[in-house]
Amino acid sequence: MLPSMLRGRTSSVATFVACAACFFLGTLWRNGHSLHHLDGGATASMKPRSPNWCTTVEECREKLESMQSLVRAEVDRQVGLVQKGLKAPEAQNGVARDFPPVKQLPEGQRLRILVTGGAGFVGSHLVDRLMLQGHEVIVVDNMFTGRKKNVQHWFGHPNFSLRLHDVVEPLLLEVDRIYHLACPASPPHYQYNPIKTIKTSTEGTLNMLGLAKRTNARMLLTSTSEVYGDPEISPQPETYWGHVNPIGPRACYDEGKRVAETMMYAYSKQEKVDIRVARIFNTFGPRMHPNDGRVVSNFIIQALQGKPITIYGDGQQTRSFQFVSDLVEGLIRLMESEYRLPVNIGNPDEYTIANFATLIHQMTNSESDIVRLDATQVRQNARLRIQVLGWR
């Protein structure tokens, strides 16, 4: 009795054999072959339009037998891979991949977790952490800003799967947790197609909420500090309603996330969906897109390219910069907490923009000039996060 995986592989190959035969015979028909008097080994009267195909019955048989031999070889190869416990892509490279050590969880503790936007900067680091914890992770990404290379080190792992899909379209899955990160987050990306950005934040969030409702899954939305707009108070507590321009250049992102938060709480109140909302502040780390338009990457690229390092105002305004691994820790803690209102997640330590620009200028030995232009202060109030999550 073949194991189920082997039976599935054999079934797929059988389908391939049938399709190959159909393709062969269909091609003969399309190329205008007519067979007459197929009596034993008699010659067929054939008028091929293409010289690549057989002209006699014997030649046709030889080609079909050759095709069958190739199929048999492929069957043997695939069965051998299954028996060795290897995935086909790995075996084609001649190397069995060594995955990072993953915790082995009991069936009752292993969760099936969906991460939308999981091939992006933050999403891929979240996927890494969840995989290492031993959960089953499904990544959904349309690759607008995501990259396969961000998660390729998990390709072939039995706990990992990647689906190329746009969240504005419905998705049928069975999951226990949903981390909804899908949405371009940097100004050049979300301003490239404002309508698409709005649809991702609205229709995409509606689809994920519908999935959460159907599967009774807990859902976390990654919102943003941009919901505070150009704040008139600093630091901003979660109770601050913001100061946002609904028709400005950032409105597609700011207002899209604000509507997404509204949807989350509407589903929570009306449909009893278990929700979490994280408002993310400035984040940096590996896998950042070099041209994402954010402060860290801007300064580094400007310094390396010898372009002016641009500072807005006198440079004494402060920003909080959190490393991506800290953000991931905060997201997971919030997801597994019992707190349901929005939570700021960022670094409570503040740095002046001028000092930060000077540090990068020195570390890169850049010949760039530091140029001062004009800005609004965006700083989180971390009190609630420390109180609720017990984490600084």
Side-chain angles (χ1 to χ4, degrees), residues 216-235:
N216 197 30
R218 181 177 296 177
M219 175 173 166
L220 182 148
L221 169 71
T222 55
S223 188
T224 172
S225 62
E226 294 291 338
V227 298
Y228 300 126
D230 293 326
E232 298 174 312
I233 63 173
S234 181

Side-chain angles (χ1 to χ4, degrees), residues 176 308 362:
D176 304 302
Q362 293 172 349

